[in-house]
Amino acid sequence: MFLLGVVYAAAILILVRMLGRAWPIGVAVIVAFAAFQVLTSGRLAVRTMGAREVTAAEEPELHALVDRLCALGGMDKPTIAVAESKVPNACALGRSKGSATLCVTRGLLETLEPNELEGVIAHELSHVAHGDAAVMTVAAFVGVLAGLVARIGLRLVYIGGRARGLWHIIVVALGFIALSAATWFVSLVLTRSLSRYREFAADRSAAQLTGNPAALASALTKVSAKVSGGGGIPQVDLRKAGALNAFYFAPVSAAKTTAHHLLSTHPTTQARLDRLLRMSSQL
């Protein structure tokens, strides 16, 4: 988080110098974009997932499980939603603990045993307790904005290239593209590293809460194997799930090489299993 703060402060300082007297407009745009992302990201994610809120009458076992884990963890119960997807997964969304939504897929409810499901739900509730959705939204917003600015810069270069006498627009646009691309890439590496760390933290908290790291490890093995191997899951479901890869209990697309791992939102399945195995031995 400290490194992200340094990168973002440097990028904003350079942007202010580039904008000259118009710097208040640039800062206002950044603040407005941050507020928009924080306020809307949770609702947009739930909508993207295709989930709907379910009552205790509709899903009594799921509600009972969440009630028990929330009581054990001493936390408020989040809204519970179910997505009618065959992809076995779960995620926690929302900008604050009070407005959190816990989403599970129908595929997860049908795939896991009760003790395995308990581990996954405890993992997601740990994300809620840690405020991970809000932290990652705030951590990533300048990087997302930088990517948007880079796209606008490319459009300006295209316009300047087609019109004569607008070479100065091309020069300015190239400057914005260079700054935005550098900010976006460094932000991407740092936020993905932060995301992987917080997945380890949620695994550990879930194992401590349930006292059963082996069940969480079993759930992780089942979900990862079914998602990576297809498991009869329609390709349409897998493509839709990919949009929320960073939020899921297990990623829909896993890193294949060391270079890909540096940009992965999740640690490798084996790394998570190794840590859970050590916790199981300690307990």
Side-chain angles (χ1 to χ4, degrees):
M1 290 297 288
F2 172 76
L3 289 174
L4 281 168
V6 171
V7 171
Y8 291 164
I12 292 172
L13 180 62
I14 295 172
L15 178 63
V16 167
R17 293 179 66 86
M18 289 174 64
L19 291 174
R21 294 182 179 179
W23 70 265
I25 298 175
V27 173
V29 169
I30 292 173
V31 172
F33 188 83
F36 172 78
Q37 189 169 349
V38 169
L39 292 174
T40 63
S41 59
R43 291 195 298 273
L44 289 175
V46 172
R47 189 178 304 170
T48 300
M49 193 174 177
R52 68 175 185 86
E53 183 178 346
V54 293
T55 64
E58 293 174 298
E59 296 289 343
E61 294 180 1
L62 179 59
H63 271 268
L65 176 57
V66 174
D67 285 336
R68 184 165 61 82
L69 290 173
C70 286
L72 282 173
M75 60 182 293
D76 294 332
K77 182 180 179 181
T79 300
I80 300 176
V82 173
E84 299 298 332
S85 169
K86 292 187 178 295
V87 180
N89 237 316
C91 62
L93 307 164
R95 66 179 183 274
S96 67
K97 298 176 185 179
S99 62
T101 299
L102 172 66
C103 297
V104 299
T105 65
R106 185 65 61 190
L108 186 78
L109 297 176
E110 294 174 350
T111 299
L112 300 184
E113 299 296 326
N115 65 331
E116 295 169 339
L117 181 61
E118 178 186 60
V120 174
I121 298 299
H123 173 99
E124 296 305 327
L125 290 177
S126 296
H127 279 309
V128 174
H130 298 161
D132 284 347
V135 168
M136 293 307 300
T137 299
V138 172
F141 89 89
V142 172
V144 173
L145 181 60
L148 180 63
V149 171
R151 291 191 184 94
I152 294 174
L154 287 172
R155 177 60 61 179
L156 290 176
V157 168
Y158 175 75
I159 294 173
R162 290 177 63 87
R164 295 180 179 180
L166 295 181
W167 61 267
H168 55 285
I169 292 181
I170 297 178
V171 172
V172 172
L174 288 175
F176 276 110
I177 291 171
L179 173 63
S180 301
T183 303
W184 171 80
F185 181 75
V186 176
S187 165
L188 182 66
V189 172
L190 291 174
T191 52
R192 294 298 171 83
S193 177
L194 179 63
S195 177
R196 293 193 297 273
Y197 171 80
R198 297 181 87 81
E199 288 299 326
F200 279 135
D203 280 347
R204 184 172 185 83
S205 295
Q208 290 173 334
L209 183 63
T210 62
N212 193 355
L216 180 59
S218 176
L220 179 59
T221 302
K222 279 186 179 181
V223 171
S224 299
K226 190 160 187 177
V227 170
S228 61
I233 301 172
Q235 287 299 312
V236 174
D237 280 8
L238 288 172
R239 285 194 296 271
K240 287 176 64 178
L244 294 175
N245 206 43
F247 292 98
Y248 281 129
F249 166 67
V252 176
S253 55
K256 300 294 189 299
T257 65
T258 302
H260 288 153
H261 176 65
L262 292 175
L263 300 178
S264 175
T265 56
H266 290 65
T268 63
T269 300
Q270 190 58 53
R272 294 172 71 179
L273 292 175
D274 289 343
R275 292 198 179 200
L276 289 170
L277 179 62
R278 288 198 295 273
M279 281 198 70
S280 184
S281 299
Q282 292 167 3
L283 290 175

